[in-house]
């Protein structure tokens, strides 16, 4: 398995980084974890085949995490000529929010005829979803988005990828990330508390309970980007990690 960071920025483009998007290549499939508004640009920049993306797992319904989906769907319809299904797995309400986003950006696009189906599946705590041969488990976190927000634990090919999404500290992060081969965690600030976001000092204090094999911090503010890494991988757009 191979993970490439297509975007690791916050909602405001701190450090000139793309919105959140992680591309995972596995045996016979590729999937995304989150697809922020700038993700199609990042897909082009890093030479990813958009038609090779079988599934998108979405943590929550903020534009910097799911806002790239309309562009990905329209690209498949109008540019890349996609012919295979695209599966989108996200929290309750994602179907309606996706349709509303598409209609706001390109009126009529949510109902347009396509050569490929878009299959939207809702995920919730205690209701894992399997797609692309991987099983995703959702854990509720604290980050208001007009719908449930989740941390995700994605298992397959004998590996575990966990991602906190955006959230302040909640104990559910322990179960979500426990002994993961890679835990991707929000590290928004060094220690300055920001409501509904996770700071490095708080996460660091709880890491022994999570015990991930490797840790990568993402969604960093300017102050965190300037902070030298101590015990974690600092995400950068384009970074590749073997799982």
């Amino acid at each position: 398995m191979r993970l490439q960071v297509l975007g690791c920025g916050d909602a405001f483009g701190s450090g000139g980084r793309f919105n959140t998007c992680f591309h995972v290549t596995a045996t016979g499939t590729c999937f995304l974890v989150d697809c922020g508004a700038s993700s199609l640009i990042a897909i082009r920049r890093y030479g990813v085949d958009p038609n090779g993306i079988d599934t998108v797992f979405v943590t929550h319904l903020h534009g910097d995490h799911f806002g790239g989906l309309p562009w990905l769907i329209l690209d498949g319809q109008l540019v890349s000529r996609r012919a295979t299904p695209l599966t989108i797995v996200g929290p309750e309400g994602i179907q309606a929010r996706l349709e509303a986003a598409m209609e706001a950006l390109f009126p009529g696009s949510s109902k347009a005829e396509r050569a490929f189906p878009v299959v939207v599946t809702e995920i919730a705590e205690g209701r894992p979803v399997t797609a692309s041969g991987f099983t995703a488990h959702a854990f509720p976190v604290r980050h208001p988005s007009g719908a449930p927000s989740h941390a995700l634990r994605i298992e397959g090919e004998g590996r575990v990828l966990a991602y906190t999404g955006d959230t302040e500290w909640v104990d559910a992060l322990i179960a979500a990330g426990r002994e993961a081969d890679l835990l991707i965690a929000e590290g928004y600030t060094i220690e300055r508390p920001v409501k509904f976001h996770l700071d490095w000092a708080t996460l660091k204090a709880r890491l022994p309970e999570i015990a991930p094999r490797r840790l990568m911090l993402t969604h960093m503010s300017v102050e965190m980007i300037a902070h030298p890494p101590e015990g974690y991988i600092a995400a950068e757009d384009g970074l590749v990690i073997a799982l």
Side-chain angles (χ1 to χ4, degrees):
M1 287 174 58
R2 173 186 183 271
L3 180 144
Q4 183 171 26
V5 179
L6 300 186
C8 61
D10 60 14
F12 309 106
S14 294
R17 299 173 176 207
F18 291 121
N19 292 150
T20 298
C21 186
F22 306 105
H23 180 254
V24 178
T25 303
T27 303
T29 190
C30 295
F31 61 87
L32 299 181
V33 181
D34 278 348
C35 185
S38 59
S39 294
L40 186 60
I41 304 170
I43 284 169
R44 297 280 190 248
R45 174 166 293 185
Y46 294 110
V48 172
D49 177 10
N51 290 346
I53 298 166
D54 296 318
T55 301
V56 183
F57 296 99
V58 177
T59 58
H60 67 285
L61 303 186
H62 277 156
D64 58 321
H65 290 260
F66 99 107
L69 290 176
W71 308 101
L72 183 63
I73 293 168
L74 286 168
D75 174 79
Q77 176 188 342
L78 302 173
V79 179
S80 299
R81 302 300 179 185
R82 187 183 185 103
T84 56
L86 175 65
T87 299
I88 298 170
V89 178
E92 295 175 5
I94 188 171
Q95 176 85 57
R97 189 80 71 86
L98 177 58
E99 290 180 3
M102 295 191 72
E103 289 303 312
L105 293 167
F106 291 96
S109 64
S110 71
K111 307 300 182 185
E113 186 175 343
R114 308 183 191 98
F116 63 97
V118 176
V119 181
V120 180
T121 302
E122 293 186 346
I123 189 171
E125 182 182 15
R127 288 176 15 213
V129 171
T130 298
S132 298
F134 286 76
T135 299
H137 302 262
F139 297 80
V141 296
R142 192 172 296 127
H143 188 76
S145 60
S149 294
H150 295 141
L152 295 177
R153 182 181 180 91
I154 301 172
E155 302 174 342
E157 296 192 358
R159 296 290 184 269
V160 175
L161 170 66
Y163 175 38
T164 66
D166 291 357
T167 181
E168 61 189 64
W169 175 263
V170 292
D171 287 346
L173 297 180
I174 299 171
R178 193 184 303 278
E179 297 181 353
D181 292 282
L182 177 66
L183 170 61
I184 304 172
E186 181 184 26
Y188 193 57
T189 60
I190 300 170
E191 59 182 13
R192 176 173 58 90
V194 176
K195 195 172 185 180
F196 305 129
H197 289 278
L198 188 58
D199 63 87
W200 169 230
T202 298
L203 176 63
K204 184 177 181 181
R206 306 302 295 263
L207 276 179
E209 299 169 79
I210 306 173
R213 290 176 171 82
R214 283 188 291 178
L215 170 68
M216 180 171 73
L217 295 193
T218 188
H219 205 272
M220 294 181 281
S221 63
V222 171
E223 71 175 72
M224 193 64 194
I225 291 171
H227 181 255
E230 299 175 355
Y232 62 87
I233 302 165
E236 296 182 12
D237 291 358
L239 179 68
V240 174
I241 296 177
L243 294 175

